[in-house]
Amino acid sequence: MYCISWFIHVLLFLLTSSVYLNGSCLESAGSKPPRPIISELRANFATQSLVVKWLVNHTGLARESGDTYEIQVGRTDNLTIVHNSKVSSCPLGSDSTLTWTWVSTLPLQCADHSIRIRRFCSHADPSDWSQWKTNYGAQDTVDRVWKKTKMFPYQQVLKEGSTILFCCVPPRGIHITNMTFNSTTSYPLINITHRVTAIAVHNLNITQASGSGVYSWCEDTTEKRNNYCSNFISFCPQRPENLSCGTEDLRTVICTWNPGRPANLYEPYKRTHTLHIKNTGEDLIKCGEWSCRFQAVPGLEWYHVSVVVRNQLGEEKQSYSFNITDRVFPVPEGVKVSPGVTEANVSWVMRGNLSGLELFCQVTADPVEPRRLTRLAEAADLQSTSMVCNGGSDERCDVSLEQLSPNTLYATRVRCAVRGNLEGEWTQPTHFTTYPLVTLDVWRKVRLLSHGQRNVTLLWTPQLSGSASSVKIQGYKVRWRQEGFQWILWRNREQTQTEISIGPGQCDMIIQAVIQPGSSPPGHITIPPVERIEYLRNATCVSGSASGGFHLIWKEQEAVTCGYTVEWCTVGSGVSCTLQWRKVPVGNTSVSLPAGDFKAGHRYTFDIYGCTDEGDKLLGIRTGYSQELKPVQSPRLVEPIRTTSSSVTLEWRYHEDDHSHPGFITGYLVTVHKTGSQRSPGHVRSPFTKMVADPHNKSLTIVGLQEHQKYTFHLSALTNVGPGPPTTVTVKTQTIPSILLAKILTPLLLLLGLAILLCLFWKMLRSCIVELFGYPAGMNIKPIELDLHLHETSERLRCLKVGDCACSDIEILSVRPTMSERTPLIHPKLPRLSSSFTTIPSSSFCPVHPSSYSSSMSSSLPSLSPPCPSSSTQHLHQKGYCPQSPTEVWDSSVQTSLTNRSYFPSVGAEQSVELKPIRGTDSSDISSSPIKLSNLITSEPSEGPQLRPGALLENIDGYITTDSLVKSMTAYMNGQSH
């Protein structure tokens, strides 16, 4: 621009001026050009800049090049040079004005600033310096007006990251002692003049603590903290990004952009945005932070716009050009919806007059219900429709949305665009609710009758898409068609099943719910002909899932075209249950049934059907429990129970396939407890268990048991959970026959052997017995009866002395044997007695107590032989008395009794032994003669050896033995011999 203006001035100068070259740069070498004249020096305290203007005195035309000027800036009264630079300018006409701006780092209020300029021309010396032009600081104002210390800069926007000098200007005569920034930091003082002091703060930043404002203070010699000042830190404006413009109705143009970093200052320091349409004469348009709106210029298609951003630190600009017809983003208005059951009709009008433009619009409907939002959002394309719309202001655009869910709240939105351009903004959502719908879930149960006739129980369940209170079902209409005939039934709204009799052929059934208004979609089911129905017997066992429900899986069938159906019912409960079913879409081969539909311990049977063109075909049967329990029934034992000496065989009755069981019977458990004595080595331990893994095997043999031992058996049925209640029985094992026979025969054989030995050695044994226990023949001696008081008797016998024992009379009654039959009663080793008896010392004969023996036993004692014939019946001293030894030839009819009367209390009484006839002996053969012992037992002691008391007669088993008598006699005679 300056060059054009200069060119115009040159032309005018050539036409109106004479060729006068005095003072121009073309003068001869050595001449100086005229010095510049500073016409104006102005300070801008907001930007801390000085603007200087000077006049150029051109008396000639500088054709070769422009002028060069050297500018110096002096500070304070001393004119200290703080800036020196050279600037160039294009050639101008005479008396033109040049302008130059200088920005000071020190606030202009802090000191006086002066500027001077000189000019340089080619091949010439520089001109003289102009006069100093001074801009005075605030010293005079402080002295005259404020009369207190002032600090600069004040209330200004400082650039972030820069270095700023803060100065304090005190009144005359006062000096600065300290300066602080942000109230805490003290900085070194810089003397500007003898009065003005400054500090330098580097790298200004915006902190979270201080924000955009910063504060500083001055302290002077008055010892007061005077005149704090506040300033603001900000940043230079950024160029707008992503600038774009468009229109909705060809009437208003909207331009938007990204302002970049958010502004940190507010009014009056906030940055401003203005928009300028370059190819029109429109004024600047004030804009917001993000956008700008202006009216379209009629007839103008191309727009060249620029957006300028300004603040105290600078400005930035961004330009954009566009064709308005390509930037049309139409906005639909007046959106209306007419809902149906599964569809809705949406209509709207376009804002503005867009006739002549081909519009392309898109409509969408999104469900609002949270429970259906996820499923339908995945199928958003199904609820979105596109169509072509006329942009006339009086014409409505409409479109139909299909495949909506009944009784569902939707939000519909519309957006449009000129074909080939970007879409406009979506309208605000318009809500509507589709009408409720009743669908019927239909199933059947077929029972075969005679001659191919069948009874079909048709079942249905109404499924309401919305609230039941909003749907009024009037009834159900049932139709079926078979072999060209059609029948129709009407059922009330309370009924959900009906029975129909059909023939053997294929039958199609249709049922509809009659609602107000209209009818529900028909439910259809086909009954296949009799010959196509397959009956399966085998069922596959399944177990419930961890949650308590069932998860059923089956193989995919190619013939299935319309999905699968799973029906089930509780079996074995004894009560009729309601048939239930679940439809599975085609392509799926599994279904999960929730635990809420099943009870633990109940058996369920699932029939899986596949839907084909000819009807539903049975594919498989599943049976199982959602949760098994222990058995509740105990097995029944079969008696009698078979036993051996080491085993027991149990047999029982149990209906393992009974559906009433709370679980699958997997086997049986037998627990064996041993009772009685402890376990013997080599036998099985007790208790122990036996398992029967086959539920159909109902017998078990337990081996390894002890013979003749009791065992208790507990028999219970098993499921996967555990055993049920047991049946208890106690059984005793048998005894081994061979061992029992051995136990019986062993003592018998021993006895037999002993008997044989006795027979073989009887004679020798008899002689020994006779020798030990025999008595002389014909003698029958009464046993000496022992007193119960043996101790007293013993003491009494011990105290007997010679002469104290009363005499005893022995009377012998016997049958006189012949001489040949007489046998001496004297031991063979004893010497023969003389004809006259020797007196027996009375001390050697001691009485024996007779009361311990019964008198009846005297008859069983062996007999004593009668005395010799020559013996006298008066005294034992008579000759011819011969005691005889025992012999077998004694007459058993003779019995000898002995009475010892010395036992009785009358010690001195006479004692006699009388022989009496026994067992029918003839009295003529018997002579009775009492034998007095008075001469035998005397009061004088014998000089010979005396027998010990009680040694005369010995009692063996109640008898007086021969040995005892012999010994006594022998001892006596030996004593007499001495």
Side-chain angles (χ1 to χ4, degrees):
M1 297 295 294
Y2 291 107
C3 294
I4 295 174
S5 179
W6 176 81
F7 182 73
I8 295 174
H9 281 83
V10 169
L11 292 179
L12 293 175
F13 178 78
L14 293 176
L15 294 174
T16 59
S17 302
S18 61
V19 184
Y20 177 71
L21 300 178
N22 184 25
S24 68
C25 291
L26 299 178
E27 293 180 352
S28 61
S31 61
K32 293 181 179 180
R35 63 181 181 182
I37 300 172
I38 297 177
S39 60
E40 181 183 0
L41 180 61
R42 178 171 51 87
N44 186 349
F45 296 106
T47 60
Q48 295 298 331
S49 60
L50 289 176
V51 180
V52 59
K53 294 181 179 181
W54 67 94
L55 296 176
V56 178
N57 186 11
H58 288 289
T59 58
L61 181 64
R63 299 177 182 272
E64 298 182 0
S65 63
D67 296 337
T68 300
Y69 298 90
E70 183 180 2
I71 303 175
Q72 289 183 344
V73 179
R75 182 175 293 165
T76 70
D77 296 340
N78 299 328
L79 297 176
T80 303
I81 303 301
V82 295
H83 179 79
N84 186 16
S85 64
K86 291 182 179 182
V87 297
S88 299
S89 66
C90 294
L92 300 175
S94 59
D95 300 330
S96 60
T97 302
L98 297 180
T99 302
W100 179 74
T101 302
W102 174 71
V103 178
S104 174
T105 57
L106 180 70
L108 297 179
Q109 299 91 333
C110 298
D112 298 339
H113 290 81
S114 301
I115 294 179
R116 66 177 181 176
I117 305 172
R118 66 177 178 176
R119 179 183 179 186
F120 287 87
C121 289
S122 299
H123 310 292
D125 295 332
S127 66
D128 295 331
W129 287 99
S130 65
Q131 297 294 326
W132 287 99
K133 191 71 172 180
T134 303
N135 178 71
Y136 296 97
Q139 296 91 333
D140 293 342
T141 307
V142 169
D143 292 339
R144 290 183 291 102
V145 179
W146 295 328
K147 297 181 181 180
K148 63 178 181 179
T149 302
K150 299 293 290 184
M151 192 171 189
F152 302 99
Y154 176 74
Q155 293 289 313
Q156 292 187 6
V157 178
L158 308 179
K159 185 178 180 180
E160 182 183 23
S162 63
T163 298
I164 299 298
L165 291 174
F166 295 88
C167 71
C168 289
V169 181
R172 194 178 300 276
I174 299 176
H175 300 284
I176 301 300
T177 59
N178 187 28
M179 296 179 64
T180 58
F181 178 76
N182 270 354
S183 73
T184 57
T185 306
S186 297
Y187 290 84
L189 299 179
I190 301 173
N191 293 323
I192 303 301
T193 66
H194 65 283
R195 293 173 56 185
V196 178
T197 304
I199 59 173
V201 178
H202 303 281
N203 192 21
L204 292 176
N205 55 20
I206 303 172
T207 62
Q208 184 177 3
S210 62
S212 301
V214 291
Y215 305 92
S216 53
W217 286 266
C218 293
E219 297 181 7
D220 53 25
T221 53
T222 61
E223 298 181 357
K224 293 182 179 180
R225 201 173 197 185
N226 294 311
N227 193 39
Y228 81 93
C229 72
S230 62
N231 295 278
F232 304 97
I233 301 175
S234 187
F235 46 87
C236 294
Q238 294 178 319
R239 177 176 295 180
E241 298 179 355
N242 302 327
L243 175 61
S244 65
C245 298
T247 179
E248 296 177 350
D249 52 8
L250 292 178
R251 296 174 183 174
T252 303
V253 179
I254 301 175
C255 295
T256 59
W257 60 85
N258 183 4
R261 183 178 179 182
N264 66 322
L265 298 179
Y266 301 95
E267 297 291 349
Y269 306 102
K270 185 178 180 180
R271 64 190 179 190
T272 61
H273 295 75
T274 57
L275 184 142
H276 177 59
I277 305 175
K278 299 180 182 179
N279 55 344
T280 65
E282 301 290 334
D283 296 333
L284 295 178
I285 302 170
K286 291 184 178 181
C287 304
E289 184 79 10
W290 296 81
S291 63
C292 192
R293 182 187 295 263
F294 61 93
Q295 295 297 318
V297 179
L300 185 63
E301 292 186 3
W302 280 94
Y303 288 78
H304 303 282
V305 298
S306 62
V307 177
V308 179
V309 185
R310 294 186 181 89
N311 66 1
Q312 287 81 352
L313 301 178
E315 68 177 35
E316 288 291 342
K317 182 173 65 174
Q318 180 66 278
S319 299
Y320 178 69
S321 298
F322 63 94
N323 189 331
I324 192 172
T325 58
D326 296 334
R327 305 296 298 173
V328 177
F329 302 100
V331 176
E333 292 180 334
V335 179
K336 296 181 179 181
V337 181
S338 297
V341 176
T342 58
E343 70 284 336
N345 186 67
V346 182
S347 63
W348 65 93
V349 294
M350 303 305 304
R351 180 185 300 175
N353 187 5
L354 301 180
S355 58
L357 298 177
E358 187 179 4
L359 301 181
F360 178 81
C361 297
Q362 184 180 10
V363 184
T364 184
D366 299 324
V368 178
E369 292 179 313
R371 65 183 178 87
R372 313 189 65 154
L373 183 59
T374 302
R375 180 175 65 86
L376 293 177
E378 296 175 355
D381 292 339
L382 297 178
Q383 283 84 37
S384 179
T385 303
S386 300
M387 51 88 64
V388 177
C389 179
N390 190 350
S393 57
D394 298 332
E395 297 182 7
R396 296 190 66 88
C397 302
D398 59 349
V399 67
S400 180
L401 297 176
E402 297 179 352
Q403 299 182 3
L404 302 180
S405 297
N407 199 33
T408 304
L409 178 63
Y410 284 93
T412 183
R413 298 178 299 165
V414 183
R415 67 178 179 180
C416 297
V418 176
R419 182 175 293 276
N421 296 342
L422 298 176
E423 294 85 357
E425 296 293 332
W426 287 104
T427 61
Q428 291 298 319
T430 301
H431 295 85
F432 69 95
T433 302
T434 54
Y435 293 150
L437 173 67
V438 176
T439 58
L440 298 179
D441 187 7
V442 184
W443 189 237
R444 87 291 181 277
K445 184 177 182 182
V446 181
R447 184 166 56 93
L448 186 62
L449 304 177
S450 59
H451 306 292
Q453 298 296 315
R454 291 172 292 176
N455 181 273
V456 177
T457 302
L458 188 63
L459 306 102
W460 62 88
T461 301
Q463 296 180 348
L464 308 179
S465 59
S467 175
S469 59
S470 62
V471 179
K472 296 181 180 180
I473 300 178
Q474 297 179 349
Y476 302 95
K477 184 169 60 175
V478 182
R479 295 178 297 167
W480 70 97
R481 183 175 59 253
Q482 187 179 33
E483 297 177 355
F485 297 95
Q486 181 172 332
W487 297 267
I488 299 178
L489 282 179
W490 174 263
R491 290 292 178 260
N492 297 329
R493 59 183 180 181
E494 292 83 8
Q495 294 178 291
T496 57
Q497 67 180 33
T498 185
E499 291 190 0
I500 302 172
S501 297
I502 63 173
Q506 179 175 319
C507 181
D508 296 327
M509 296 186 175
I510 298 174
I511 181 172
Q512 281 183 296
V514 179
I515 60 177
Q516 185 180 7
S519 299
S520 68
H524 179 269
I525 194 167
T526 300
I527 309 299
V530 174
E531 62 271 12
R532 297 298 180 90
I533 297 179
E534 298 181 6
Y535 297 95
L536 303 179
R537 298 296 182 186
N538 297 328
T540 304
C541 295
V542 294
S543 299
S545 60
S547 61
F550 286 95
H551 184 71
L552 305 178
I553 303 176
W554 58 89
K555 293 183 179 180
E556 185 176 3
Q557 302 290 330
E558 295 182 358
V560 174
T561 58
C562 46
Y564 301 88
T565 302
V566 179
E567 72 169 22
W568 70 91
C569 187
T570 309
V571 294
S573 60
V575 211
S576 59
C577 71
T578 303
L579 185 66
Q580 301 182 64
W581 66 91
R582 177 71 60 87
K583 295 293 182 67
V584 180
V586 63
N588 294 340
T589 58
S590 65
V591 64
S592 294
L593 304 176
D597 297 337
F598 306 97
K599 295 181 179 180
H602 287 71
R603 187 169 181 175
Y604 296 89
T605 297
F606 302 91
D607 295 338
I608 303 174
Y609 291 88
C611 179
T612 65
D613 296 337
E614 296 181 350
D616 293 281
K617 177 183 178 181
L618 182 61
L619 304 179
I621 302 176
R622 307 286 189 270
T623 182
Y625 299 84
S626 62
Q627 182 180 355
E628 293 189 50
L629 302 178
K630 294 181 179 180
V632 296
Q633 298 178 6
S634 56
R636 183 170 56 88
L637 287 170
V638 177
E639 295 184 355
I641 297 175
R642 292 179 294 168
T643 61
T644 64
S645 59
S646 62
S647 66
V648 173
T649 300
L650 300 178
E651 294 184 1
W652 58 89
R653 299 285 184 268
Y654 199 75
H655 191 188
E656 65 278 0
D657 296 326
D658 189 357
H659 292 171
S660 63
H661 291 313
F664 290 116
I665 302 300
T666 58
Y668 306 93
L669 179 67
V670 179
T671 304
V672 183
H673 292 270
K674 180 180 178 182
T675 59
S677 60
Q678 297 182 354
R679 176 175 57 89
S680 300
H683 290 272
V684 293
R685 299 184 62 183
S686 177
F688 62 94
T689 59
K690 292 289 185 178
M691 184 82 70
V692 178
D694 184 5
H696 300 284
N697 182 14
K698 290 184 275 294
S699 66
L700 177 65
T701 299
I702 299 96
V703 299
L705 305 179
Q706 296 184 23
E707 54 91 16
H708 200 64
Q709 176 64 45
K710 286 185 178 181
Y711 290 91
T712 300
F713 300 89
H714 303 279
L715 173 64
S716 57
L718 283 177
T719 64
N720 292 324
V721 180
T727 296
T728 304
V729 65
T730 300
V731 180
K732 186 175 182 180
T733 55
Q734 298 180 5
T735 304
I736 301 176
S738 58
I739 297 177
L740 179 62
L741 184 62
K743 288 182 179 180
I744 296 174
L745 293 179
T746 297
L748 294 178
L749 292 176
L750 289 175
L751 292 175
L752 181 61
L754 289 175
I756 294 173
L757 289 176
L758 288 175
C759 293
L760 294 176
F761 299 98
W762 170 248
K763 291 184 178 182
M764 181 177 64
L765 184 62
R766 180 180 179 186
S767 62
C768 293
I769 293 174
V770 169
E771 182 180 356
L772 292 175
F773 305 104
Y775 292 92
M779 294 185 65
N780 189 5
I781 302 177
K782 285 185 177 181
I784 301 177
E785 298 178 356
L786 299 179
D787 188 63
L788 295 175
H789 308 284
L790 294 178
H791 179 71
E792 180 180 355
T793 304
S794 176
E795 291 296 332
R796 184 179 297 173
L797 292 177
R798 187 177 292 112
C799 66
L800 291 179
K801 297 181 181 180
V802 176
D804 294 337
C805 184
C807 62
S808 302
D809 295 334
I810 301 175
E811 294 182 358
I812 301 174
L813 180 63
S814 63
V815 179
R816 296 181 182 274
T818 60
M819 292 300 296
S820 61
E821 296 174 350
R822 297 176 181 175
T823 302
L825 192 60
I826 302 175
H827 195 278
K829 294 182 181 181
L830 294 179
R832 292 284 182 181
L833 297 177
S834 60
S835 59
S836 60
F837 288 91
T838 305
T839 303
I840 299 175
S842 62
S843 60
S844 64
F845 182 80
C846 296
V848 179
H849 198 286
S851 61
S852 61
Y853 292 92
S854 172
S855 61
S856 63
M857 295 177 61
S858 60
S859 61
S860 64
L861 294 174
S863 302
L864 296 176
S865 63
C868 297
S870 60
S871 61
S872 174
T873 63
Q874 300 295 326
H875 300 283
L876 291 175
H877 300 279
Q878 295 180 2
K879 299 179 181 180
Y881 178 76
C882 299
Q884 299 178 357
S885 61
T887 179
E888 296 180 2
V889 299
W890 287 9
D891 189 359
S892 60
S893 62
V894 181
Q895 179 177 0
T896 302
S897 62
L898 176 62
T899 302
N900 186 359
R901 297 182 178 179
S902 64
Y903 170 76
F904 298 99
S906 58
V907 179
E910 294 183 352
Q911 302 177 3
S912 63
V913 178
E914 297 181 358
L915 300 178
K916 299 179 180 179
I918 301 174
R919 286 184 290 196
T921 58
D922 192 0
S923 61
S924 61
D925 296 334
I926 301 175
S927 62
S928 175
S929 58
I931 301 176
K932 302 290 184 178
L933 296 181
S934 59
N935 296 329
L936 295 175
I937 304 173
T938 63
S939 59
E940 296 180 0
S942 175
E943 299 177 356
Q946 299 180 356
L947 296 174
R948 59 182 179 84
L952 177 61
L953 299 177
E954 294 183 2
N955 179 17
I956 299 176
D957 294 332
Y959 298 93
I960 301 176
T961 63
T962 303
D963 291 345
S964 176
L965 182 61
V966 171
K967 290 177 183 179
S968 300
M969 296 297 296
T970 303
Y972 172 76
M973 293 187 68
N974 288 336
Q976 290 295 328
S977 65
H978 291 287

